[in-house]
Amino acid sequence: MMAAQFTVNIQIKSLDELAKINDKSLIQSQAYVDGRWVSASSGKTFDVTDPGTMQKIGSVADMDADDVRRAIDAASRAFESWKNTTAKERSLILRRWFDLIISNKDDLARLMTLEGGKPLAEASGEVVYGASFIEWFGEEAKRAYGDVVPSPLSSTRMVPVGVVGIITPYNFPNAMITRKVGAALAAGCTVVVRPAHETPYSALALCELAERAGVPRGVFNVVPCSAENTPDVGKELTTNEAIRKVSFTGSTAVGKMLTAQAAGTMKRVSMELGGNAPFIVFADADLDVAAEQLVACKFRNSGQTCVCANRIYVHESVYDDFVSRLAVLVEKRLRIGHGVSEGVNFGPLITERGLQKIEDQLKRAVDAGARVFLGGKRPDISAAGYFFEPTILVDVPMSCEETFGRCVHSEEEVIRRANSVPVGLAGYFFSRDIGRVFRVAEALEVGMVGANTGIISTEVAPFGGVKESGFGREGSRYGIDEYMNIKYINISCKCRVF
């Protein structure tokens, strides 16, 4: 087992860091409904905690199902006028929103770091990434074409589906909202968003900027709620007849439940659900590239992303060499600490529950025969927080939840193992054989493939999975289609025209 020094020991006071946000109007603690900042009808709030210090940074309105119903009513009223705006008008508003997000990037990143733990540089990158969807769909709004069929005289039009209910997770509190809301607004829909209870401030800051950009009242509504109110709020969004589509990012189990609830009113649904991504290193791979990309893919956001590599298969002939290269990179590159501290690029887990889950996984793997090669414990760090060292386990049995195993099998066998799970969001593999690149890319049962890269997300490409990783696509030219219905119109030429 290698010993490593990962930590940056700097004491942080969360409220002092919050005070460094220049534009204080971005720090909102009320819900945003019908163009107004409102409290919960019950008067209740819930606390938001900095996972890097476990210090409270504020309290936010705890909306319930009745409050959400009012937000849906506001969105329904706004839809009647928003759907009739021109694509050009919507595009210009979205462009202004994009510009405002970029000009407030530093404040938005700091707010994200304090509520979600993501290091500042990574949070800043997410803000830019999130803004790219607003820019992209603002441009796509003008390209939502229908068709004209030559004979008979008929056409198909693309029309907005209506009011959309959106439920987002904590791990990308900015980008998960922008890539859904950007597409919905571009299509002419109005939205009601329930952000994760761990990270509501990023969503509310986007409301403030949307209002400045000229998004009309009722078009963009955000209803934060506590963990206790989440089931009722979710049920209202999935069963209310005024909601015509639900878009959700989160676990497969919750996605199945929401889909079942939405079926009662035959809503359209988009589900971006959990993954269990394979990461395959073939014998002919460039090991330095593979190791670099695994660090980027696996340790981003402290491993809290749906497309992280979870099952790593390395050919027996290069296994030891690859592990050594990977360990050197992890030890050299990653520094644990609070996200606002200089030099930190590996922050905390979001909750104590997440931390305990990792410890349980580690124990099960070691009990099954795995060996800790690097890390493997909570760090010796002066600051409180949900921290865990970047960890490498070797010789992990293939039956474990997260695998890092030697693979002596054929190409066909490793593909069979990669496809042996019920989910299929992303998959990665590394090879310099061009024939293998095309064979494996086609054979992997996932919605997205990274060949010789561990980073696949971009606004111009379709994001989504297959099997129990859900359905629907976000980003790309296909993303706006998720928020539009095809309407067929047949015009007869037999009537007399006056």
Side-chain angles (χ1 to χ4, degrees):
M1 175 177 173
M2 294 179 60
Q5 176 61 42
F6 289 118
T7 57
V8 176
N9 283 293
I10 299 176
Q11 292 287 352
I12 297 294
K13 292 184 178 179
S14 300
L15 290 179
D16 289 347
E17 295 299 326
L18 193 67
K20 294 179 182 178
I21 291 176
N22 293 314
D23 188 346
K24 299 300 190 291
S25 65
L26 295 177
I27 309 170
Q28 297 288 344
S29 58
Q30 294 177 295
Y32 188 73
V33 176
D34 202 16
R36 291 188 288 264
W37 297 104
V38 298
S39 300
S41 58
S42 66
K44 294 181 179 179
T45 61
F46 65 96
D47 292 342
V48 180
T49 302
D50 178 349
T53 63
M54 295 191 283
Q55 297 169 15
K56 174 182 170 181
I57 61 172
S59 299
V60 173
D62 189 5
M63 308 296 272
D64 59 23
D66 290 336
D67 296 317
V68 173
R69 205 169 295 120
R70 283 186 280 274
I72 294 171
D73 290 342
S76 297
R77 292 192 299 271
F79 178 65
E80 294 307 312
S81 56
W82 182 249
K83 69 180 181 181
N84 291 320
T85 56
T86 67
K88 178 73 170 180
E89 290 173 314
R90 297 195 296 273
S91 178
L92 290 173
I93 290 174
L94 289 171
R95 180 69 207 192
R96 289 196 294 269
W97 193 16
F98 164 78
D99 290 337
L100 285 165
I101 292 171
I102 293 299
S103 64
N104 288 275
K105 177 184 68 174
D106 292 343
D107 282 348
L108 293 172
R110 183 171 293 273
L111 192 59
M112 188 189 305
T113 295
L114 292 170
E115 67 176 348
K118 191 171 290 189
L120 266 179
E122 194 173 336
S124 180
E126 181 186 332
V127 173
V128 174
Y129 171 65
S132 71
F133 289 97
I134 302 298
E135 180 185 38
W136 172 264
F137 285 117
E139 295 165 348
E140 284 295 291
K142 297 176 287 186
R143 294 188 283 273
Y145 305 128
D147 304 288
V148 176
V149 183
S151 179
L153 291 180
S154 60
S155 66
T156 59
R157 292 190 60 230
M158 304 296 289
V159 296
V161 299
V163 182
V164 180
I166 294 173
I167 302 174
T168 58
Y170 67 85
N171 56 346
F172 288 91
N174 178 292
M176 288 296 102
I177 291 174
T178 57
R179 76 181 186 189
K180 297 175 187 293
V181 173
L185 267 57
C189 300
T190 57
V191 300
V192 178
V193 180
R194 189 241 65 177
H197 65 88
E198 298 94 341
T199 55
Y201 283 112
S202 290
L204 296 170
L206 286 172
C207 293
E208 172 65 27
L209 297 178
E211 182 175 296
R212 295 182 200 175
V215 175
R217 286 178 53 177
V219 170
F220 180 31
N221 306 274
V222 172
V223 285
C225 68
S226 62
E228 290 73 22
N229 278 350
T230 291
D232 288 342
V233 167
K235 188 173 183 180
E236 185 64 33
L237 290 173
T238 54
T239 60
N240 190 299
E241 291 185 358
I243 296 283
R244 295 313 315 150
K245 176 182 172 66
V246 174
S247 180
F248 169 73
T249 295
S251 72
T252 296
V254 173
K256 289 179 178 180
M257 179 185 70
L258 296 176
T259 300
Q261 292 173 351
T265 47
M266 294 301 293
K267 301 186 195 307
R268 289 185 62 174
V269 292
S270 293
M271 293 283 147
E272 195 264 281
L273 308 179
N276 193 357
F279 189 103
I280 305 167
V281 181
F282 288 102
D284 62 346
D286 184 320
L287 299 186
D288 287 328
V289 170
E292 287 265 3
Q293 293 301 305
L294 181 54
V295 171
C297 180
K298 181 60 184 174
F299 294 107
R300 183 166 56 121
N301 196 23
S302 301
Q304 300 171 114
T305 80
C306 55
V307 292
C308 274
N310 275 5
R311 296 173 295 136
I312 304 162
Y313 304 107
V314 183
H315 194 274
E316 171 72 24
S317 65
V318 296
Y319 187 90
D320 293 332
D321 189 5
F322 180 75
V323 168
S324 297
R325 294 175 195 233
L326 178 64
V328 168
L329 282 177
V330 170
E331 185 178 9
K332 180 181 179 181
R333 300 277 181 86
L334 301 183
R335 290 293 175 267
I336 305 173
H338 194 284
V340 300
S341 300
E342 186 176 352
V344 166
N345 55 11
F346 195 82
L349 280 301
I350 190 68
T351 61
E352 176 68 25
R353 179 183 176 187
L355 190 56
Q356 290 175 352
K357 180 181 178 181
I358 286 181
E359 291 178 324
D360 290 343
Q361 288 176 332
L362 178 66
K363 183 179 184 303
R364 289 198 304 271
V366 171
D367 289 345
R371 179 166 53 91
V372 177
F373 191 82
L374 185 70
K377 64 183 189 302
R378 300 192 188 200
D380 181 15
I381 190 169
S382 58
Y386 306 120
F387 296 99
F388 198 84
E389 289 182 344
T391 298
I392 298 176
L393 298 180
V394 295
D395 298 328
V396 182
M398 297 294 181
S399 59
C400 286
E401 186 173 345
E402 296 202 19
T403 295
F404 192 160
R406 300 174 187 266
C407 182
V408 297
H409 306 289
S410 64
E411 178 182 308
E412 293 75 15
E413 177 61 16
V414 76
I415 290 172
R416 187 192 66 78
R417 288 183 180 273
N419 291 339
S420 66
V421 295
V423 293
L425 186 57
Y428 311 90
F429 69 94
F430 291 77
S431 172
R432 285 182 280 200
D433 181 331
I434 190 64
R436 173 176 281 153
V437 166
F438 282 96
R439 287 195 307 272
V440 176
E442 289 289 341
L444 287 175
E445 296 174 358
V446 295
M448 299 171 288
V449 175
N452 295 317
T453 180
I455 302 297
I456 55 176
S457 300
T458 169
E459 76 278 12
V460 305
F463 190 104
V466 298
K467 301 196 288 190
E468 292 187 22
S469 286
F471 37 79
R473 292 296 182 266
E474 296 181 331
S476 80
R477 68 185 182 89
Y478 303 106
I480 197 170
D481 293 346
E482 298 289 331
Y483 298 89
M484 305 188 86
N485 288 326
I486 297 174
K487 185 175 186 178
Y488 166 62
I489 303 172
N490 191 334
I491 304 173
S492 174
C493 292
K494 295 180 180 179
C495 59
R496 296 175 63 186
V497 178
F498 295 94

